[in-house]
């Protein structure tokens, strides 16, 4: 069946280091992938997205990489800050529809 | 920055009772969504809504669920006869357009607790 999943449930990182969050997907028909950040008590907040015809996209301190060969998506956060502590979800949108299908989430804990 | 607002932030209801969750999407957005997140689990799609009708719904969205846009600003989710397993965070989202570069913006959710 189709799925969007995450490799690690919790990632602890030292403040100032880089973070890498991984996500695997199984549906080749997905056309668009998004990373959302969810802080405690808040709704998912859009971080960055990437279309399936791209390999890499950069934002402010964040980079998303897409490897279609192995159906793998990653989010890199540069110089991780305490404010980056949250749960991060990958999500996909299939070409034919507009609902988001979320992965299971990775919790990032930033140590001072 | 405009945002999606949801009320109440926490709703406690007896099993079997009806509950209405309210959302005010971003004002120039045309597409509206409900998602839910059971504690410790991933966010799940419930329903999408455009032009005063349901565009798509998941298998979770059965006959006990309904959505409505009663006026130009509110978007509601009604659960007619709540069950214990309906306990979850319910998120409303909206998007300006259905296109791949128009992300869905989420509210902060309503925590629904069924007793």
């Amino acid at each position: 069946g189709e799925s969007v999943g995450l490799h690690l449930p919790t990632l602890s990182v030292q403040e100032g280091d880089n973070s890498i969050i991984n996500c695997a997907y199984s549906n080749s028909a997905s056309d668009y992938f998004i990373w959302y950040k969810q802080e405690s008590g808040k709704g998912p907040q859009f971080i960055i997205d990437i279309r399936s015809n791209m390999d890499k996209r950069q934002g402010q301190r964040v980079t998303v990489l897409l490897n279609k060969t192995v159906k793998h998506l990653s989010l890199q956060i540069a110089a991780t800050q305490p404010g980056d502590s949250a749960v991060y979800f990958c999500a996909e949108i299939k070409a034919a529809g507009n609902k988001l299908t979320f992965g299971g989430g990775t919790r990032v804990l930033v140590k001072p | 920055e405009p945002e999606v607002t949801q009320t109440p932030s926490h709703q406690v209801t007896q099993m079997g009772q009806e509950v209405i969750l309210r959302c005010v999407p971003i004002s120039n957005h045309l597409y509206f969504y409900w998602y839910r997140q059971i504690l410790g689990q991933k966010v799940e799609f419930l329903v999408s809504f455009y032009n005063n009708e349901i565009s798509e719904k998941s298998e979770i969205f059965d006959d006990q669920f309904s959505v409505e846009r009663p006026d130009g600003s509110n978007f509601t989710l009604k659960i007619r006869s709540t069950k214990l397993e309906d306990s979850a965070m319910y998120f409303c989202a909206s998007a300006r357009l259905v296109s791949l570069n128009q992300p869905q913006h989420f509210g902060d959710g309503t925590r629904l607790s069924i007793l």
Side-chain angles (χ1 to χ4, degrees):
Chain A
E2 59 195 41
S3 67
V4 180
L6 289 150
H7 294 308
L8 297 174
T10 303
L11 175 67
S12 292
V13 60
Q14 201 69 37
E15 182 179 354
D17 288 350
N18 297 335
S19 302
I20 299 176
I21 307 164
N22 297 301
C23 177
Y25 66 94
S26 60
N27 194 323
S28 302
S30 294
D31 201 37
Y32 188 56
F33 301 90
I34 311 106
W35 282 100
Y36 280 90
K37 172 186 181 184
Q38 186 178 24
E39 296 175 281
S40 180
K42 301 275 191 180
Q45 178 187 3
F46 172 85
I47 302 173
I48 192 168
D49 54 23
I50 188 167
R51 296 190 72 129
S52 60
N53 61 355
M54 300 171 65
D55 298 321
K56 179 179 179 179
R57 190 166 187 220
Q58 286 185 294
Q60 187 176 13
R61 281 200 309 117
V62 293
T63 301
V64 55
L65 299 176
L66 177 62
N67 186 330
K68 293 180 285 293
T69 303
V70 294
K71 297 179 183 174
H72 185 266
L73 185 73
S74 67
L75 177 70
Q76 300 178 1
I77 306 173
T80 312
Q81 302 170 358
D84 295 326
S85 292
V87 177
Y88 290 80
F89 293 94
C90 61
E92 62 175 326
I93 292 181
K94 296 176 183 54
N98 62 340
K99 68 178 183 183
L100 289 166
T101 300
F102 282 85
T106 293
R107 181 175 301 280
V108 173
L109 297 174
V110 182
K111 297 177 289 186
Chain B
E1 183 176 326
E3 57 184 26
V4 176
T5 57
Q6 291 186 242
T7 55
S9 57
H10 190 190
Q11 174 77 47
V12 182
T13 302
Q14 290 288 331
M15 184 173 60
Q17 296 296 307
E18 174 183 285
V19 66
I20 297 176
L21 309 182
R22 305 183 187 279
C23 170
V24 179
I26 295 173
S27 63
N28 64 347
H29 284 193
L30 301 176
Y31 295 84
F32 314 111
Y33 309 83
W34 283 101
Y35 293 82
R36 78 172 186 189
Q37 185 178 30
I38 295 172
L39 185 63
Q41 298 186 22
K42 61 185 179 183
V43 178
E44 302 173 287
F45 169 78
L46 292 178
V47 66
S48 58
F49 190 86
Y50 168 71
N51 199 27
N52 285 319
E53 60 183 28
I54 290 173
S55 308
E56 185 177 3
K57 59 184 181 179
S58 71
E59 61 272 15
I60 302 169
F61 195 89
D62 62 21
D63 291 345
Q64 294 301 309
F65 290 84
S66 62
V67 289
E68 191 178 29
R69 188 157 163 80
D71 52 44
S73 61
N74 291 284
F75 179 51
T76 62
L77 174 69
K78 181 193 290 186
I79 309 174
R80 290 187 184 81
S81 180
T82 50
K83 303 185 285 289
L84 292 175
E85 53 264 38
D86 293 328
S87 295
M89 284 290 293
Y90 287 80
F91 293 105
C92 174
S94 68
R96 187 164 178 268
L97 298 171
V98 174
S99 67
L100 296 179
N101 62 348
Q102 295 282 332
Q104 296 176 27
H105 296 264
F106 285 76
D108 286 337
T110 293
R111 180 174 300 282
L112 178 62
S113 299
I114 306 301
L115 304 179

